[in-house]
Amino acid sequence: LENNGCSSSDNGHSKHVFVLAASNLPWDLDPAFLRRLEKRIYVPLPSALARREMLKHHFHNFKLGEGIDLDRSARVDMEGYSGADVKLLCKEAAMRP
């Protein structure tokens, strides 16, 4: 991530710049860059219950095989998955025969 100076003026009137940044690895960000971000919001990974609800949402139009246990998958197999990871997994699974 790179952040070079950002400034602007319009006939002597200053303009405001809004910066929104997101990272899956916030601990790898440069401390000097972090000091420039006044407000930080930590969004944790989804819980097992949230992952199960995401699975149900993404698979609601599909007939799942008899051996598919969404509760177990969400609880055990998908520990550490982000919401984007769950969505991608569902998309890939839906494409398989």
Side-chain angles (χ1 to χ4, degrees):
L1 182 64
E2 185 176 324
N3 179 28
N4 288 326
C6 183
S7 64
S8 174
S9 66
D10 182 23
N11 297 330
H13 302 303
S14 65
K15 292 183 177 181
H16 297 281
V17 176
F18 179 77
V19 177
L20 178 64
S23 173
N24 288 338
L25 304 168
W27 46 88
D28 286 344
L29 294 176
D30 179 52
F33 179 75
L34 286 174
R35 285 194 297 272
R36 290 179 176 89
L37 301 174
E38 292 183 17
K39 184 165 188 139
R40 295 178 206 134
I41 301 171
Y42 173 69
V43 179
L45 292 172
S47 66
L49 176 62
R51 291 190 302 269
R52 187 188 73 204
E53 291 302 314
M54 285 184 240
L55 288 171
K56 286 170 46 179
H57 170 77
H58 291 298
F59 286 134
H60 76 278
N61 287 330
F62 294 92
K63 182 176 185 249
L64 301 177
E66 291 180 27
I68 304 296
D69 183 356
L70 294 182
D71 290 328
R72 183 190 184 290
S73 292
R75 211 176 49 254
V76 178
D77 301 328
M78 302 175 77
E79 181 68 34
Y81 278 39
S82 69
D85 294 332
V86 173
K87 183 177 180 179
L88 180 61
L89 179 131
C90 294
K91 181 180 175 184
E92 291 293 322
M95 291 182 179
R96 297 207 171 187

